Amino acid sequence: MKTKIAVANGDGIGPEIMDAVLNIFKAANVQLEYDFVEMGKSYFDAGHSTGMTEQAKATIENLGILFKGPMETPKGKGVKSINVTARKVWNTYANQRDFRTLNGVDTVFSKAGMDINLTIIRENIEDTYGGIEHMLTNDVAVGRRIITRPGSAQVIRYAFEMAKRKGLKKLACGHKANIMKLTDGMFLEIFYQIAKEYPQIEVSDIIVDDLCMKLVSRPEMFEAIVLTNLQGDIVSDLCAGLVGGLGFAPSANIGDNISIFEAVHGTAPDIAGRGIANPTALLLSGISMLRFLGLTENAATIENSLLYTLEQGVHTGDFGDRSTQSVNTQGFADAIIANLGKVPANGSVVAQPNFETRKPVTRPAQNKITDTNPDITKEIQGVDIFVETTLQPAEIAEVAKSKLNDKFKLVMISNRGTQVWPTGSIFTELVNQSRIRYEKTDGTTLTPRDVFAIAAELSDSIRVCSTELLTIFDGKPGYSLAQGQ
Ligand code: NAD
């Protein structure tokens, strides 16, 4: 019986490259059935706020697999990217991108005889991609970076399972925990916790800036790297550059129920409609989808043919030897079809599953909620109150002190995260928003009401923009100190 998947052609070059890839699948006798779904810019324009019809949503949620072309995000209409929304609402928590040197695709490294074979696993749902941003004052914009224990554990476990399945020896965690001690610190802590369950895999961690430097100077140091969302986004584009650019970068968005396979690149509006786009990235994404679906023979046959074709010097206009004639999108697909059954001289693949086989969709009765430690003790230690003001630090302190009662003491005032009171430097430049930190006095037990009461008192004298509780979880502070505190 044929497996049925949802296919969205996408916008711009999407339909051209999808057509080429499905033609290759057909010629390779891939036993898949396609349900084409209505999704993309034209559906936004037709008034579907999510960029897809209800029918498309139902089909994707039933089938669990979406193979999609790139989709345009309409500019300046207040709509969120359909690509990011799809990944988030369907909980495709792991973004896997495999980067390898391809014969016929010249790069600095291939010319130096250095083969690259790297996998980046990027957390796909959390971090700054929540898009939770606020203007606290006209001059100060703040974005929330959300890192959670369940979300981190899900993607990190996926990375270890992937490394095990592929027989990799090493997995690294990229992070910036030296600066972001609670967010990246938690991601790193969970990485080492889960690592204990995989003693056969050598683990390490590396600060993301050092990682970027090492990837461009010694990429052979790494086999697979797991990162949070934004850092993973940047590092994976860097890796795409190592192997020849976005035209060769596939991507799999894996979830427990729904998974999405797509190219990393966008709709290439500058060349859309001309039939000259390079279908390789979408084809590589399709090949990883075939493996995911257990169609490993098909995957190996098509991958070998692609590698053979590239080795022969066949190329679209965006890469390859400029002194030889390029082919168009369908010409490239036709060359791959003609080469089915051939294997490249270098780097041929065998039909081994290196992807997890798909799990069937199980439709939950309610949204799944995870709370990893509902019984943890929580003690309110104080509050950070963010205020709009152009007063000097000592003047803000006077206002803040005038609101004190016996439950609170004034601990610190900071501006852009740098302490300016009780001590600070006259050279610290200030903006029109400061943070006032009150902590509880000895022997006091604070309630949320106490905290909101002092914020309300303060708001009589100064514009309060935001408040944040300072909480101690099982004896550990759940908040950071100011620079200089
Ligand atoms: P882009 O990736 O579409 O194009 C960047 C450059 O790379 C262009 O010069 C383009 O011609 C070239 N290029 C990209 N893919 C190519 C291919 N297969 N063959 C040959 N050349 C190729 O990036 P952009 O211009 O920043 O974005 C255009 C649109 O795509 C935007 O609306 C953006 O939101 C959307 N986008 C969608 C996705 C997705 O669907 N996952 C990803 C990125 C961007």
Side-chain angles (χ1 to χ4, degrees), residues 449-482:
R449 182 170 285 279
D450 294 327
V451 158
F452 294 122
I454 196 163
E457 285 289 324
L458 196 61
S459 70
D460 289 339
S461 307
I462 208 161
R463 184 175 166 264
V464 171
C465 332
S466 175
T467 57
E468 204 74 67
L469 292 189
L470 307 178
T471 308
I472 309 253
F473 294 91
D474 250 356
K476 266 174 73 180
Y479 51 91
S480 55
L481 299 180

PDB file of all heavy atoms in Angstrom, residues 449-482:
ATOM      1  N   ARG A 449       0.549  39.441  46.013  1.00  0.00           N
ATOM      2  CA  ARG A 449      -0.199  40.674  46.271  1.00  0.00           C
ATOM      3  C   ARG A 449       0.716  41.771  46.847  1.00  0.00           C
ATOM      4  O   ARG A 449       0.616  42.929  46.476  1.00  0.00           O
ATOM      5  CB  ARG A 449      -1.362  40.372  47.224  1.00  0.00           C
ATOM      6  CG  ARG A 449      -2.228  41.564  47.532  1.00  0.00           C
ATOM      7  CD  ARG A 449      -3.480  41.140  48.285  1.00  0.00           C
ATOM      8  NE  ARG A 449      -4.445  40.500  47.417  1.00  0.00           N
ATOM      9  CZ  ARG A 449      -5.290  41.142  46.631  1.00  0.00           C
ATOM     10  NH1 ARG A 449      -5.284  42.456  46.588  1.00  0.00           N
ATOM     11  NH2 ARG A 449      -6.140  40.495  45.881  1.00  0.00           N
ATOM     12  N   ASP A 450       1.658  41.375  47.770  1.00  0.00           N
ATOM     13  CA  ASP A 450       2.608  42.358  48.342  1.00  0.00           C
ATOM     14  C   ASP A 450       3.414  43.024  47.216  1.00  0.00           C
ATOM     15  O   ASP A 450       3.660  44.225  47.230  1.00  0.00           O
ATOM     16  CB  ASP A 450       3.613  41.659  49.277  1.00  0.00           C
ATOM     17  CG  ASP A 450       2.951  41.081  50.510  1.00  0.00           C
ATOM     18  OD1 ASP A 450       1.959  41.683  50.973  1.00  0.00           O
ATOM     19  OD2 ASP A 450       3.427  40.036  50.999  1.00  0.00           O
ATOM     20  N   VAL A 451       3.821  42.194  46.261  1.00  0.00           N
ATOM     21  CA  VAL A 451       4.674  42.654  45.170  1.00  0.00           C
ATOM     22  C   VAL A 451       3.911  43.624  44.263  1.00  0.00           C
ATOM     23  O   VAL A 451       4.411  44.694  43.913  1.00  0.00           O
ATOM     24  CB  VAL A 451       5.150  41.405  44.391  1.00  0.00           C
ATOM     25  CG1 VAL A 451       5.571  41.748  42.994  1.00  0.00           C
ATOM     26  CG2 VAL A 451       6.253  40.696  45.154  1.00  0.00           C
ATOM     27  N   PHE A 452       2.671  43.258  43.945  1.00  0.00           N
ATOM     28  CA  PHE A 452       1.896  44.132  43.054  1.00  0.00           C
ATOM     29  C   PHE A 452       1.481  45.408  43.797  1.00  0.00           C
ATOM     30  O   PHE A 452       1.329  46.466  43.193  1.00  0.00           O
ATOM     31  CB  PHE A 452       0.696  43.396  42.462  1.00  0.00           C
ATOM     32  CG  PHE A 452       1.119  42.284  41.543  1.00  0.00           C
ATOM     33  CD1 PHE A 452       0.728  40.967  41.756  1.00  0.00           C
ATOM     34  CD2 PHE A 452       1.954  42.551  40.461  1.00  0.00           C
ATOM     35  CE1 PHE A 452       1.153  39.944  40.922  1.00  0.00           C
ATOM     36  CE2 PHE A 452       2.385  41.537  39.622  1.00  0.00           C
ATOM     37  CZ  PHE A 452       1.987  40.237  39.854  1.00  0.00           C
ATOM     38  N   ALA A 453       1.369  45.301  45.117  1.00  0.00           N
ATOM     39  CA  ALA A 453       0.996  46.490  45.912  1.00  0.00           C
ATOM     40  C   ALA A 453       2.117  47.526  45.853  1.00  0.00           C
ATOM     41  O   ALA A 453       1.857  48.719  45.669  1.00  0.00           O
ATOM     42  CB  ALA A 453       0.697  46.088  47.350  1.00  0.00           C
ATOM     43  N   ILE A 454       3.363  47.106  45.990  1.00  0.00           N
ATOM     44  CA  ILE A 454       4.450  48.096  45.969  1.00  0.00           C
ATOM     45  C   ILE A 454       4.624  48.664  44.556  1.00  0.00           C
ATOM     46  O   ILE A 454       4.932  49.848  44.375  1.00  0.00           O
ATOM     47  CB  ILE A 454       5.772  47.546  46.579  1.00  0.00           C
ATOM     48  CG1 ILE A 454       6.717  48.723  46.890  1.00  0.00           C
ATOM     49  CG2 ILE A 454       6.452  46.537  45.688  1.00  0.00           C
ATOM     50  CD1 ILE A 454       7.850  48.406  47.830  1.00  0.00           C
ATOM     51  N   ALA A 455       4.359  47.816  43.532  1.00  0.00           N
ATOM     52  CA  ALA A 455       4.418  48.322  42.146  1.00  0.00           C
ATOM     53  C   ALA A 455       3.323  49.372  41.933  1.00  0.00           C
ATOM     54  O   ALA A 455       3.543  50.405  41.292  1.00  0.00           O
ATOM     55  CB  ALA A 455       4.261  47.164  41.162  1.00  0.00           C
ATOM     56  N   ALA A 456       2.152  49.116  42.522  1.00  0.00           N
ATOM     57  CA  ALA A 456       1.041  50.070  42.382  1.00  0.00           C
ATOM     58  C   ALA A 456       1.385  51.391  43.079  1.00  0.00           C
ATOM     59  O   ALA A 456       1.141  52.473  42.546  1.00  0.00           O
ATOM     60  CB  ALA A 456      -0.236  49.466  42.968  1.00  0.00           C
ATOM     61  N   GLU A 457       2.002  51.282  44.282  1.00  0.00           N
ATOM     62  CA  GLU A 457       2.446  52.486  45.015  1.00  0.00           C
ATOM     63  C   GLU A 457       3.411  53.297  44.155  1.00  0.00           C
ATOM     64  O   GLU A 457       3.286  54.510  44.008  1.00  0.00           O
ATOM     65  CB  GLU A 457       3.192  52.065  46.309  1.00  0.00           C
ATOM     66  CG  GLU A 457       2.300  51.575  47.417  1.00  0.00           C
ATOM     67  CD  GLU A 457       1.493  52.714  48.025  1.00  0.00           C
ATOM     68  OE1 GLU A 457       2.042  53.829  48.122  1.00  0.00           O
ATOM     69  OE2 GLU A 457       0.318  52.497  48.365  1.00  0.00           O
ATOM     70  N   LEU A 458       4.368  52.577  43.575  1.00  0.00           N
ATOM     71  CA  LEU A 458       5.398  53.240  42.773  1.00  0.00           C
ATOM     72  C   LEU A 458       4.778  53.929  41.558  1.00  0.00           C
ATOM     73  O   LEU A 458       5.197  55.016  41.146  1.00  0.00           O
ATOM     74  CB  LEU A 458       6.429  52.183  42.329  1.00  0.00           C
ATOM     75  CG  LEU A 458       7.772  52.673  41.810  1.00  0.00           C
ATOM     76  CD1 LEU A 458       8.517  53.472  42.875  1.00  0.00           C
ATOM     77  CD2 LEU A 458       8.628  51.484  41.366  1.00  0.00           C
ATOM     78  N   SER A 459       3.750  53.285  41.010  1.00  0.00           N
ATOM     79  CA  SER A 459       3.143  53.819  39.782  1.00  0.00           C
ATOM     80  C   SER A 459       2.424  55.150  40.028  1.00  0.00           C
ATOM     81  O   SER A 459       2.108  55.863  39.084  1.00  0.00           O
ATOM     82  CB  SER A 459       2.191  52.796  39.154  1.00  0.00           C
ATOM     83  OG  SER A 459       1.064  52.663  39.960  1.00  0.00           O
ATOM     84  N   ASP A 460       2.198  55.485  41.304  1.00  0.00           N
ATOM     85  CA  ASP A 460       1.628  56.811  41.593  1.00  0.00           C
ATOM     86  C   ASP A 460       2.633  57.929  41.296  1.00  0.00           C
ATOM     87  O   ASP A 460       2.248  59.066  41.054  1.00  0.00           O
ATOM     88  CB  ASP A 460       1.212  56.909  43.071  1.00  0.00           C
ATOM     89  CG  ASP A 460      -0.019  56.065  43.365  1.00  0.00           C
ATOM     90  OD1 ASP A 460      -0.755  55.760  42.392  1.00  0.00           O
ATOM     91  OD2 ASP A 460      -0.216  55.690  44.529  1.00  0.00           O
ATOM     92  N   SER A 461       3.938  57.573  41.334  1.00  0.00           N
ATOM     93  CA  SER A 461       4.969  58.615  41.192  1.00  0.00           C
ATOM     94  C   SER A 461       5.781  58.510  39.908  1.00  0.00           C
ATOM     95  O   SER A 461       6.459  59.461  39.530  1.00  0.00           O
ATOM     96  CB  SER A 461       5.950  58.529  42.362  1.00  0.00           C
ATOM     97  OG  SER A 461       5.267  58.567  43.570  1.00  0.00           O
ATOM     98  N   ILE A 462       5.755  57.356  39.288  1.00  0.00           N
ATOM     99  CA  ILE A 462       6.660  57.117  38.154  1.00  0.00           C
ATOM    100  C   ILE A 462       5.957  56.116  37.223  1.00  0.00           C
ATOM    101  O   ILE A 462       5.193  55.290  37.711  1.00  0.00           O
ATOM    102  CB  ILE A 462       8.004  56.561  38.724  1.00  0.00           C
ATOM    103  CG1 ILE A 462       9.198  56.880  37.862  1.00  0.00           C
ATOM    104  CG2 ILE A 462       7.965  55.121  39.033  1.00  0.00           C
ATOM    105  CD1 ILE A 462      10.523  56.739  38.642  1.00  0.00           C
ATOM    106  N   ARG A 463       6.201  56.200  35.896  1.00  0.00           N
ATOM    107  CA  ARG A 463       5.472  55.289  35.000  1.00  0.00           C
ATOM    108  C   ARG A 463       6.066  53.867  35.062  1.00  0.00           C
ATOM    109  O   ARG A 463       7.222  53.660  34.687  1.00  0.00           O
ATOM    110  CB  ARG A 463       5.530  55.800  33.554  1.00  0.00           C
ATOM    111  CG  ARG A 463       4.719  54.947  32.613  1.00  0.00           C
ATOM    112  CD  ARG A 463       4.660  55.505  31.199  1.00  0.00           C
ATOM    113  NE  ARG A 463       4.166  54.454  30.333  1.00  0.00           N
ATOM    114  CZ  ARG A 463       4.930  53.640  29.615  1.00  0.00           C
ATOM    115  NH1 ARG A 463       6.233  53.786  29.595  1.00  0.00           N
ATOM    116  NH2 ARG A 463       4.385  52.690  28.891  1.00  0.00           N
ATOM    117  N   VAL A 464       5.284  52.918  35.570  1.00  0.00           N
ATOM    118  CA  VAL A 464       5.730  51.523  35.638  1.00  0.00           C
ATOM    119  C   VAL A 464       5.405  50.850  34.298  1.00  0.00           C
ATOM    120  O   VAL A 464       4.264  50.896  33.836  1.00  0.00           O
ATOM    121  CB  VAL A 464       5.027  50.779  36.806  1.00  0.00           C
ATOM    122  CG1 VAL A 464       5.305  49.287  36.756  1.00  0.00           C
ATOM    123  CG2 VAL A 464       5.457  51.366  38.144  1.00  0.00           C
ATOM    124  N   CYS A 465       6.422  50.247  33.640  1.00  0.00           N
ATOM    125  CA  CYS A 465       6.175  49.611  32.326  1.00  0.00           C
ATOM    126  C   CYS A 465       5.998  48.109  32.451  1.00  0.00           C
ATOM    127  O   CYS A 465       5.401  47.482  31.581  1.00  0.00           O
ATOM    128  CB  CYS A 465       7.325  49.819  31.350  1.00  0.00           C
ATOM    129  SG  CYS A 465       8.301  51.253  31.544  1.00  0.00           S
ATOM    130  N   SER A 466       6.592  47.513  33.478  1.00  0.00           N
ATOM    131  CA  SER A 466       6.567  46.059  33.543  1.00  0.00           C
ATOM    132  C   SER A 466       7.066  45.609  34.907  1.00  0.00           C
ATOM    133  O   SER A 466       7.814  46.350  35.563  1.00  0.00           O
ATOM    134  CB  SER A 466       7.472  45.515  32.432  1.00  0.00           C
ATOM    135  OG  SER A 466       7.585  44.127  32.508  1.00  0.00           O
ATOM    136  N   THR A 467       6.648  44.420  35.346  1.00  0.00           N
ATOM    137  CA  THR A 467       7.186  43.871  36.603  1.00  0.00           C
ATOM    138  C   THR A 467       7.582  42.416  36.383  1.00  0.00           C
ATOM    139  O   THR A 467       7.040  41.747  35.501  1.00  0.00           O
ATOM    140  CB  THR A 467       6.132  43.890  37.732  1.00  0.00           C
ATOM    141  OG1 THR A 467       4.997  43.162  37.274  1.00  0.00           O
ATOM    142  CG2 THR A 467       5.734  45.277  38.148  1.00  0.00           C
ATOM    143  N   GLU A 468       8.486  41.954  37.189  1.00  0.00           N
ATOM    144  CA  GLU A 468       8.940  40.555  37.087  1.00  0.00           C
ATOM    145  C   GLU A 468       9.223  40.056  38.508  1.00  0.00           C
ATOM    146  O   GLU A 468       9.973  40.697  39.251  1.00  0.00           O
ATOM    147  CB  GLU A 468      10.212  40.521  36.245  1.00  0.00           C
ATOM    148  CG  GLU A 468      10.520  39.213  35.574  1.00  0.00           C
ATOM    149  CD  GLU A 468       9.622  38.929  34.372  1.00  0.00           C
ATOM    150  OE1 GLU A 468       9.705  39.632  33.360  1.00  0.00           O
ATOM    151  OE2 GLU A 468       8.851  37.965  34.485  1.00  0.00           O
ATOM    152  N   LEU A 469       8.622  38.920  38.873  1.00  0.00           N
ATOM    153  CA  LEU A 469       8.866  38.371  40.214  1.00  0.00           C
ATOM    154  C   LEU A 469      10.276  37.805  40.316  1.00  0.00           C
ATOM    155  O   LEU A 469      10.793  37.246  39.349  1.00  0.00           O
ATOM    156  CB  LEU A 469       7.897  37.214  40.499  1.00  0.00           C
ATOM    157  CG  LEU A 469       6.413  37.511  40.667  1.00  0.00           C
ATOM    158  CD1 LEU A 469       5.692  36.253  41.159  1.00  0.00           C
ATOM    159  CD2 LEU A 469       6.202  38.634  41.655  1.00  0.00           C
ATOM    160  N   LEU A 470      10.874  37.944  41.491  1.00  0.00           N
ATOM    161  CA  LEU A 470      12.155  37.286  41.767  1.00  0.00           C
ATOM    162  C   LEU A 470      11.821  36.068  42.620  1.00  0.00           C
ATOM    163  O   LEU A 470      11.325  36.217  43.734  1.00  0.00           O
ATOM    164  CB  LEU A 470      13.093  38.222  42.522  1.00  0.00           C
ATOM    165  CG  LEU A 470      13.334  39.603  41.892  1.00  0.00           C
ATOM    166  CD1 LEU A 470      14.252  40.438  42.784  1.00  0.00           C
ATOM    167  CD2 LEU A 470      13.948  39.451  40.508  1.00  0.00           C
ATOM    168  N   THR A 471      12.063  34.882  42.067  1.00  0.00           N
ATOM    169  CA  THR A 471      11.637  33.659  42.762  1.00  0.00           C
ATOM    170  C   THR A 471      12.842  32.754  43.017  1.00  0.00           C
ATOM    171  O   THR A 471      13.732  32.650  42.179  1.00  0.00           O
ATOM    172  CB  THR A 471      10.583  32.909  41.923  1.00  0.00           C
ATOM    173  OG1 THR A 471       9.553  33.834  41.571  1.00  0.00           O
ATOM    174  CG2 THR A 471       9.968  31.740  42.670  1.00  0.00           C
ATOM    175  N   ILE A 472      12.816  32.099  44.175  1.00  0.00           N
ATOM    176  CA  ILE A 472      13.842  31.099  44.507  1.00  0.00           C
ATOM    177  C   ILE A 472      13.176  29.725  44.338  1.00  0.00           C
ATOM    178  O   ILE A 472      12.135  29.471  44.940  1.00  0.00           O
ATOM    179  CB  ILE A 472      14.301  31.246  45.979  1.00  0.00           C
ATOM    180  CG1 ILE A 472      14.679  32.688  46.279  1.00  0.00           C
ATOM    181  CG2 ILE A 472      15.381  30.242  46.320  1.00  0.00           C
ATOM    182  CD1 ILE A 472      16.111  33.009  46.427  1.00  0.00           C
ATOM    183  N   PHE A 473      13.739  28.885  43.484  1.00  0.00           N
ATOM    184  CA  PHE A 473      13.181  27.551  43.244  1.00  0.00           C
ATOM    185  C   PHE A 473      14.047  26.531  43.982  1.00  0.00           C
ATOM    186  O   PHE A 473      15.245  26.411  43.655  1.00  0.00           O
ATOM    187  CB  PHE A 473      13.194  27.227  41.744  1.00  0.00           C
ATOM    188  CG  PHE A 473      12.267  28.112  40.944  1.00  0.00           C
ATOM    189  CD1 PHE A 473      12.724  29.308  40.396  1.00  0.00           C
ATOM    190  CD2 PHE A 473      10.940  27.750  40.740  1.00  0.00           C
ATOM    191  CE1 PHE A 473      11.875  30.132  39.674  1.00  0.00           C
ATOM    192  CE2 PHE A 473      10.085  28.570  40.010  1.00  0.00           C
ATOM    193  CZ  PHE A 473      10.559  29.763  39.483  1.00  0.00           C
ATOM    194  N   ASP A 474      13.454  25.839  44.948  1.00  0.00           N
ATOM    195  CA  ASP A 474      14.202  24.834  45.719  1.00  0.00           C
ATOM    196  C   ASP A 474      15.550  25.387  46.185  1.00  0.00           C
ATOM    197  O   ASP A 474      16.591  24.739  46.029  1.00  0.00           O
ATOM    198  CB  ASP A 474      14.454  23.587  44.845  1.00  0.00           C
ATOM    199  CG  ASP A 474      13.615  22.408  45.333  1.00  0.00           C
ATOM    200  OD1 ASP A 474      12.924  22.559  46.362  1.00  0.00           O
ATOM    201  OD2 ASP A 474      13.656  21.353  44.658  1.00  0.00           O
ATOM    202  N   GLY A 475      15.541  26.607  46.665  1.00  0.00           N
ATOM    203  CA  GLY A 475      16.773  27.210  47.195  1.00  0.00           C
ATOM    204  C   GLY A 475      17.670  27.857  46.147  1.00  0.00           C
ATOM    205  O   GLY A 475      18.681  28.459  46.491  1.00  0.00           O
ATOM    206  N   LYS A 476      17.328  27.733  44.852  1.00  0.00           N
ATOM    207  CA  LYS A 476      18.196  28.311  43.808  1.00  0.00           C
ATOM    208  C   LYS A 476      17.554  29.560  43.210  1.00  0.00           C
ATOM    209  O   LYS A 476      16.403  29.514  42.759  1.00  0.00           O
ATOM    210  CB  LYS A 476      18.389  27.286  42.669  1.00  0.00           C
ATOM    211  CG  LYS A 476      19.655  26.445  42.848  1.00  0.00           C
ATOM    212  CD  LYS A 476      19.778  25.347  41.837  1.00  0.00           C
ATOM    213  CE  LYS A 476      20.131  25.770  40.452  1.00  0.00           C
ATOM    214  NZ  LYS A 476      20.235  24.607  39.540  1.00  0.00           N
ATOM    215  N   PRO A 477      18.277  30.691  43.170  1.00  0.00           N
ATOM    216  CA  PRO A 477      17.685  31.916  42.613  1.00  0.00           C
ATOM    217  C   PRO A 477      17.302  31.735  41.144  1.00  0.00           C
ATOM    218  O   PRO A 477      18.106  31.246  40.345  1.00  0.00           O
ATOM    219  CB  PRO A 477      18.791  32.955  42.751  1.00  0.00           C
ATOM    220  CG  PRO A 477      19.804  32.370  43.669  1.00  0.00           C
ATOM    221  CD  PRO A 477      19.660  30.888  43.611  1.00  0.00           C
ATOM    222  N   GLY A 478      16.081  32.124  40.801  1.00  0.00           N
ATOM    223  CA  GLY A 478      15.613  32.036  39.422  1.00  0.00           C
ATOM    224  C   GLY A 478      15.660  33.391  38.755  1.00  0.00           C
ATOM    225  O   GLY A 478      14.728  33.770  38.049  1.00  0.00           O
ATOM    226  N   TYR A 479      16.703  34.149  38.993  1.00  0.00           N
ATOM    227  CA  TYR A 479      16.860  35.462  38.349  1.00  0.00           C
ATOM    228  C   TYR A 479      18.344  35.798  38.337  1.00  0.00           C
ATOM    229  O   TYR A 479      19.130  35.271  39.112  1.00  0.00           O
ATOM    230  CB  TYR A 479      16.055  36.540  39.094  1.00  0.00           C
ATOM    231  CG  TYR A 479      16.300  36.583  40.587  1.00  0.00           C
ATOM    232  CD1 TYR A 479      17.288  37.395  41.134  1.00  0.00           C
ATOM    233  CD2 TYR A 479      15.552  35.776  41.455  1.00  0.00           C
ATOM    234  CE1 TYR A 479      17.526  37.416  42.497  1.00  0.00           C
ATOM    235  CE2 TYR A 479      15.792  35.794  42.814  1.00  0.00           C
ATOM    236  CZ  TYR A 479      16.785  36.605  43.342  1.00  0.00           C
ATOM    237  OH  TYR A 479      17.028  36.605  44.684  1.00  0.00           O
ATOM    238  N   SER A 480      18.703  36.700  37.417  1.00  0.00           N
ATOM    239  CA  SER A 480      20.122  37.037  37.267  1.00  0.00           C
ATOM    240  C   SER A 480      20.449  38.291  38.071  1.00  0.00           C
ATOM    241  O   SER A 480      19.558  39.079  38.419  1.00  0.00           O
ATOM    242  CB  SER A 480      20.430  37.269  35.792  1.00  0.00           C
ATOM    243  OG  SER A 480      19.563  38.259  35.282  1.00  0.00           O
ATOM    244  N   LEU A 481      21.734  38.467  38.331  1.00  0.00           N
ATOM    245  CA  LEU A 481      22.193  39.681  38.988  1.00  0.00           C
ATOM    246  C   LEU A 481      22.488  40.721  37.918  1.00  0.00           C
ATOM    247  O   LEU A 481      22.700  40.383  36.756  1.00  0.00           O
ATOM    248  CB  LEU A 481      23.472  39.387  39.790  1.00  0.00           C
ATOM    249  CG  LEU A 481      23.334  38.345  40.905  1.00  0.00           C
ATOM    250  CD1 LEU A 481      24.678  38.154  41.610  1.00  0.00           C
ATOM    251  CD2 LEU A 481      22.270  38.761  41.920  1.00  0.00           C
ATOM    252  N   ALA A 482      22.501  41.993  38.292  1.00  0.00           N
ATOM    253  CA  ALA A 482      22.874  43.026  37.326  1.00  0.00           C
ATOM    254  C   ALA A 482      24.389  43.016  37.143  1.00  0.00           C
ATOM    255  O   ALA A 482      25.119  42.557  38.020  1.00  0.00           O
ATOM    256  CB  ALA A 482      22.435  44.390  37.834  1.00  0.00           C
TER     257      ALA A 482
END
